[in-house]
Amino acid sequence: WWADVDTGLEHDYYAGYGFSAMGADLYFGATGYYYTDNFDSDYEEVNMGIAMGAVSVDHSTGKYKTATNDSYQYTSVSLALDGGGLPLTLAVGAWGGDTLKGNVWTVDYSTTISEVDVGLHVGKNSEGITASADKYKDTTYAVFTLGYSF
C-alpha cells in the first residue's frame, strides 16, 4: 500500500493468516509502516483479531523504529450494521503508547455498484493520539475508496 502523505510517501506492507474456529473468524499478522520523509517514524507491529457475527475485536502491538523504540498498543471494537440492510460499520479504538495516547471513532460505509467496490471511511481522533504539531491535533478525516477485482 502506498500513499502521498503531507511531504512524502508512506509505504506499508502486510502479511497475515486468517482462519475459522468454533464459529469465529480469526487472524494473526504483521504490518510495517515506512515513510520517505519526516511525516512520521517508521514502525512495525503484530496484530490479531476475532469476529463473531456483527462484532469484531482487533488488537495490535508495535514499536517505533527510533532511538527511543517507543512502543504502543491499539485495540478496537467494531459493530457491523449491515444486517438491517444498511452497509455501515461503527468502531471505537483506544491507542496507548509510551508517548501518544487517545481514542479513535470511525464510521465506514461500503457497497458494490456495477462490480465496483465503493467505500467511505470517516473518523475522528482525540488530541492525544496524534503528533504534537497543532495541525494534527484533534483531527476529523475521511477516506473515499474505489476498487475493482479482476
Side-chain angles (χ1 to χ4, degrees):
W1 184 85
W2 289 68
D4 181 1
V5 289
D6 203 18
T7 59
L9 294 175
E10 173 183 349
H11 51 109
D12 303 344
Y13 302 91
Y14 306 89
Y17 178 72
F19 59 97
S20 295
M22 298 180 290
D25 296 321
L26 299 103
Y27 77 90
F28 296 96
T31 308
Y33 304 89
Y34 306 96
Y35 300 87
T36 62
D37 64 358
N38 291 325
F39 176 81
D40 199 353
S41 299
D42 295 346
Y43 53 104
E44 298 168 339
E45 65 187 29
V46 294
N47 35 65
M48 64 194 81
I50 183 170
M52 289 189 77
V55 177
S56 63
V57 177
D58 297 285
H59 180 76
S60 298
T61 300
K63 190 169 285 239
Y64 286 95
K65 298 180 72 154
T66 61
T68 60
N69 284 324
D70 287 350
S71 62
Y72 64 89
Q73 295 185 22
Y74 178 73
T75 302
S76 68
V77 178
S78 302
L79 175 63
L81 301 176
D82 57 354
L86 188 61
L88 290 177
T89 301
L90 307 175
V92 61
W95 181 280
D98 295 333
T99 55
L100 302 176
K101 295 174 176 45
N103 298 304
V104 176
W105 298 269
T106 63
V107 176
D108 289 284
Y109 170 84
S110 61
T111 192
T112 302
I113 302 169
S114 299
E115 298 184 30
V116 175
D117 298 324
V118 179
L120 179 63
H121 172 87
V122 179
K124 178 156 180 61
N125 295 330
S126 64
E127 184 173 314
I129 201 169
T130 55
S132 60
D134 285 340
K135 71 178 181 176
Y136 299 123
K137 287 187 176 182
D138 198 24
T139 58
T140 300
Y141 60 91
V143 178
F144 176 73
T145 59
L146 291 173
Y148 181 76
S149 298
F150 52 92

